[in-house]
Amino acid sequence: LAAKVLCFGFPLSIFFIVINEFCERFSYYGMKAVLTLYFTRFLRWEDNFATALYHTFVALCYLTPILGAIIADSWLGKFKTILYLSIVYAIGQAVLSVGSISELTGGSANNLAPNIALSMIGLILIALGTGGIKPCVSAFGGDQFEEDQERQRGTFFSLFYLSINAGSLLSTLITPTIRASECGIHTKQECYPLAFGVPAILMAVALVVFVIGSKMYKKVKPQGNIMLEVSKCVGFAIKNRFRHRSKEFPKREHWLDWASDKYDKRLIAQTKMVLRVLFLYIPLPMFWAVFDQQGSRWTLQATAMNGDFGFQIQPDQMQIVNPILIVIMVPVVDSVLYPLIKKCKLNFTPLKKMTVGMFLGSLAFVAAALVQVQIDKTYPVFPAAGQAQIKLINVGEVSATVQFQPQLDIVQVSPKKETGYMTFEASKLKSLNITASPLNTMVDLNLLEKERYTLPFKLNSTNILFNLVSLFINSLPFTVNLTMGDTDFGELDPLSVTNYSIVPKPDGSYTINVSTPEATCKVVSKKFGYGSVYTISLDDCVTNELSITYYEDIAPNTVHMAWQIPQYFLLTCAEVLFSVTGLEFSYSQAPSNMKSVLQAGWLLTVAVGNIIVLIVAGASTIDKQWAEYVLFAALLLLVCIIFAIMAYFYTYIDPNEIEAQFSKEEKEEHKKDDQDDNEKIAEVDSKM
C-alpha cells in the first residue's frame, strides 16, 4: 500500500485522478465533436455513411468497458489497466491526428486511402482506450478512501463528475473553433490535424499526470470479476435446466434455482435481483439511439443553418448546449422540481421519471423534424432524373435574346443580369441561339441529367463569347492572374471561367486580386454566408480598383441555429430524467456487490442504441431527413409505451432486507451447526 498523504482531509492521490479525468474527457469529447464533419468534409463521405461510421465508433466505445472491467478485476488490477490502456488511447489520438494531414497524399483529394486507413486505426485504438478505462477510473478513485471517509468519498464523486462536464464543455467549445481555422503546407483548409492534435496532447498530459501520482495510489489487488461469476451462474442454470427437461424431474420455483446444485443461495438470489433490473433494460437502447444523434444528424442539420449570434457559432459547437444545460438543470431538478412534486403528493417513482424522459426524447425529435421542414423549404430545387438546369448570365453591356432549341422557351437577358436556373428535359434541349442585334450565334449543348449549368456570355464587336460552368468569369478584354485570399486561380483568358472553389470562412471577407503585366486591381469581397454559392464576374479595372458583380446561385443558410435550442432543451430534460434516474434506480434494486454487472448492462444499452442508428442510416430508403426524425420519434414513443407497461408491473424491492434475511439465516445455520457439534461432543464425552 502507498503511504497516505492527506490534503484538505482528502488523499492527495485523488487530485491526480480528477485532473487525469478532466484531460481524458477533454480529449474524448473534443475529438468526438468534430468527427462527423471530418468524415463529410475531409474524407468526403456521404451523410448516411458518415452517420453510420460515427455510431459504429460510439457503439465500440460502449462495448469495450465490459472488457476493461474484466481485465481490471480478474487480471491486471485497476492501476495497470488504466496505465496500459491510456497508452493505447494516446497513440490512437496521435494516429488520428496524423491521419487528418492532407499533405500525406500531396494535398490530393482523389487519393485519401492513407488518411482513411490511419483514421480508422486511430479510432479503433481510441475506442479500446476510452472504453477500457471508463469503468476503472471512478472505481480506482473510490479505492483511495478508507471506510471512515464516506463524506470525502461522496465529495470526490461530485468533483469527478464536475471534471467530466468541465472537460466536455471546454473541448466542445475549443476544438470546433480550431477545426474552423485554416492550416496546411501546400493548401490552406480546415485544420483537422490541430483539432485532433490538441485532444492527443491532452491525453498525453492525462497519462503523465496519472503516472506522477503512481507512488501515492492505494492499489487494490484484483479480486475476481462478479460479471463472470453471474454469467457462469446463469449459464450453469440454463444448462442444468436443459439436462433435466423431462417430466420426471420436479419443477423448481425459478429457472435460476437450477444453479443451486453448484452455486450458493445468496449468489442465486442476487443474480435474480440483477436479472429483474436487466429485463427492464431491454427497451432502453431506443433512447440512446435518439440521444447520441446529437453528434451526427443534429450536427449535420446545423451545417445547413445560420450560426450568426453576433459572433459565429460552428455547426459542431451547438453540441455545447447539452453540457451547459446539464450543469444548470441537474441541481434545479434535484432541489426544486422533485421536492415540489413530492409536496403535491404525487408518487413520481424512478420508473415513471424514466418513462417521462423517454417521452421528452421523442418530443425532441419531433422538434428536430419541424426545424428540418423549415430548412428544407430554403433548399434550391435541383434537377430530377432525366432533367438538367441551366442559368444564363449576360456579363456584357447589351441586352440579348436567347432561344432554346428546338422551339422551346425564349428569354430576354438584360446587361449584367441573370435568368435564374431553368429546368429542361436533358435529352430534348440540344442548343440555344443568342441574339444581340446585329449579332447572332448558336451554342450546341450536350447536357447530362441531374446536373446544373451556368452559361455566361458577352457581346464583343465581332461575335458573342460564352462558356459553361463558373465561379469567376473574366469579363475583361485581356488575360489576368486571379487570387482570392490564399487561393490562386492562375491565369484567366477573356471570358474564360474558373471551377467552383470552397471558401474556408464564409463569414469572413477576402481580397480578390487581379493582376496583369501593366496593372494590379483589388477589391474586398462581401461576406458570402454559410451554405451560399456565388458566381462572380470581373467587370472592370480602373485606378487599381476592381469592379465586380455577384450572381447568387444558391442563397445562404437563413434558418437560425437558435431554432435547435428547443430540441436540445427537450433532449437534456429527457437525459436528466432518464439517465441520472436510471443508474440510481438500478443500484437501489440490486446488491452493492452487483453494481459492476448493472453498469455493464447499462453501457451495453448505449452500445445497442448506437447500433440501431447505424442500421437505420445504412439501410434506410427515406430520402427526407425530417421523415427519419419522425420515424425515430415514433419508435421511441412506441418503446416508451412498452416500458410504461413493464414499469407498471414491476415490484420495487429492498436488496438490503433480502441480504439481511440471508445473513440471519446463515447465522441461524451456524448456530444450529454449533449446537449439533456441542451435542456430538457431549455424546462422545458421555460414552467416554
Side-chain angles (χ1 to χ4, degrees), residues 329-340:
M329 285 171 64
V330 170
V332 168
V333 166
D334 280 345
S335 55
V336 179
L337 187 66
Y338 290 161
L340 200 67

Side-chain angles (χ1 to χ4, degrees), residues 410-485:
I410 297 175
V411 290
Q412 191 81 19
V413 192
S414 303
K416 303 280 185 240
K417 296 292 180 191
E418 58 185 318
T419 59
Y421 283 100
M422 295 170 285
T423 306
F424 295 93
E425 293 292 323
S427 56
K428 287 183 183 173
L429 184 59
K430 302 295 183 190
S431 63
L432 47 84
N433 190 41
I434 304 172
T435 307
S437 186
L439 299 172
N440 185 17
T441 191
M442 180 75 78
V443 182
D444 287 323
L445 300 172
N446 185 18
L447 305 183
L448 299 173
E449 60 177 71
K450 286 188 151 183
E451 290 290 332
R452 278 185 149 195
Y453 296 90
T454 302
L455 192 146
F457 61 87
K458 182 183 183 181
L459 171 76
N460 75 3
S461 56
T462 54
N463 64 353
I464 296 167
L465 303 167
F466 61 89
N467 215 319
L468 271 177
V469 171
S470 54
L471 162 63
F472 279 103
I473 310 161
N474 182 9
S475 304
L476 300 164
F478 42 82
T479 301
V480 297
N481 270 307
L482 171 67
T483 62
M484 185 173 94

Side-chain angles (χ1 to χ4, degrees), residues 35 38-39 42-45 90-108 111-123 126 189-197 200:
L35 197 57
Y38 173 66
F39 289 159
F42 184 84
L43 298 181
R44 313 283 171 89
W45 286 345
I91 292 168
Q93 289 279 30
V95 169
L96 178 62
S97 180
V98 171
S100 64
I101 298 171
S102 60
E103 275 75 13
L104 282 177
T105 52
S108 165
N111 179 25
L112 291 168
N115 302 91
I116 292 169
L118 284 171
S119 299
M120 293 306 104
I121 291 165
L123 288 172
I126 290 166
Q189 55 177 304
E190 288 188 318
C191 201
Y192 290 103
L194 195 56
F196 290 135

Side-chain angles (χ1 to χ4, degrees), residues 134 274 320 328 348 403 530 584 599 651 663:
K134 195 190 286 281
V274 165
I320 202 173
I328 297 165
F348 202 33
Q403 160 87 58
Y530 283 86
E584 197 183 295
Q599 192 184 22
T651 312
S663 300

Side-chain angles (χ1 to χ4, degrees), residues 287-288 291 326 353-354 357 573-585 602:
F287 177 82
W288 298 115
F291 182 79
I326 280 283
K353 289 175 189 172
M354 290 174 75
C573 290
E575 184 189 2
V576 171
L577 285 166
F578 179 90
S579 183
V580 177
T581 312
L583 270 179
E584 197 183 295
F585 160 76
W602 185 261

Side-chain angles (χ1 to χ4, degrees), residues 309-414:
F309 285 81
F311 49 91
Q312 191 62 40
I313 289 281
Q314 297 301 322
D316 35 2
Q317 274 178 323
M318 274 306 285
Q319 298 170 61
I320 202 173
V321 175
N322 176 256
I324 288 172
L325 287 175
I326 280 283
V327 169
I328 297 165
M329 285 171 64
V330 170
V332 168
V333 166
D334 280 345
S335 55
V336 179
L337 187 66
Y338 290 161
L340 200 67
I341 290 169
K342 213 171 182 182
K343 270 190 175 176
C344 296
K345 301 278 192 297
L346 292 171
N347 185 21
F348 202 33
T349 61
L351 291 178
K352 283 179 185 171
K353 289 175 189 172
M354 290 174 75
T355 309
V356 173
M358 282 178 154
F359 179 69
L360 290 174
S362 179
L363 281 184
F365 261 58
V366 171
L370 292 172
V371 170
Q372 191 62 46
V373 167
Q374 295 308 311
I375 293 169
D376 288 353
K377 285 178 185 174
T378 68
Y379 285 157
V381 178
F382 289 102
Q387 295 180 334
Q389 289 180 340
I390 190 164
K391 174 163 89 166
L392 305 172
I393 301 177
N394 183 357
V395 295
E397 304 293 336
V398 180
S399 187
T401 305
V402 181
Q403 160 87 58
F404 292 93
Q405 304 288 2
Q407 272 75 51
L408 296 169
D409 296 350
I410 297 175
V411 290
Q412 191 81 19
V413 192
S414 303

Side-chain angles (χ1 to χ4, degrees), residues 31-45 47 50-51 54 175-177 179-180 189-190 192 195-196 294-304 313-319 530 561:
M31 173 276 304
K32 192 168 155 243
V34 298
L35 197 57
T36 300
L37 294 188
Y38 173 66
F39 289 159
T40 55
R41 291 183 178 179
F42 184 84
L43 298 181
R44 313 283 171 89
W45 286 345
D47 284 4
T51 300
Y54 174 88
T175 50
T177 309
R179 190 261 316 149
Q189 55 177 304
E190 288 188 318
Y192 290 103
F196 290 135
Q294 289 175 88
S296 57
R297 289 297 196 205
W298 286 15
T299 298
L300 291 171
Q301 184 185 57
T303 60
I313 289 281
Q314 297 301 322
D316 35 2
Q317 274 178 323
M318 274 306 285
Q319 298 170 61
Y530 283 86
M561 272 187 211

